[in-house]
Amino acid sequence: ITTYLPYLSENHLIMLHDASILELGVYSGLEDLLGKSYDWHTEFEDVAQGWKIHHRPNCCGLTFLHRVDLNEPVKMVIAG
């Protein structure tokens, strides 16, 4: 994940699929980047290390990362 960060614009969105499958290593890479652990088999939103994270566990997992300004309030909304 960190390999691609220098190539992204300031207003980028990162989408990662299969984030709930242990064998693929997606969520271990995300936990390294975000500095914390999550239950990847449940839906959640969080803010960590300057990222707004929205994870949906459906169909092996889909995770969205948005860069946020930590000086601004972050609105968290899980849409059904």
Side-chain angles (χ1 to χ4, degrees), residues 35-61:
K36 59 196 305 190
S37 297
Y38 296 96
D39 178 358
W40 296 96
H41 299 289
T42 61
E43 185 167 352
F44 65 86
E45 285 190 340
D46 193 18
V47 175
Q49 302 293 325
W51 296 97
K52 178 181 174 186
I53 307 108
H54 180 116
H55 175 74
R56 291 186 164 221
N58 314 63
C59 194
C60 301

Side-chain angles (χ1 to χ4, degrees), residues 18-73:
D18 296 340
S20 296
I21 300 176
L22 174 64
E23 294 81 10
L24 296 180
V26 176
Y27 74 73
S28 61
L30 283 168
E31 289 180 350
D32 289 345
L33 174 70
L34 302 171
K36 59 196 305 190
S37 297
Y38 296 96
D39 178 358
W40 296 96
H41 299 289
T42 61
E43 185 167 352
F44 65 86
E45 285 190 340
D46 193 18
V47 175
Q49 302 293 325
W51 296 97
K52 178 181 174 186
I53 307 108
H54 180 116
H55 175 74
R56 291 186 164 221
N58 314 63
C59 194
C60 301
L62 182 62
T63 304
F64 303 90
L65 298 174
H66 302 261
R67 202 54 149 145
V68 295
D69 181 349
L70 295 177
N71 297 314
E72 297 288 324

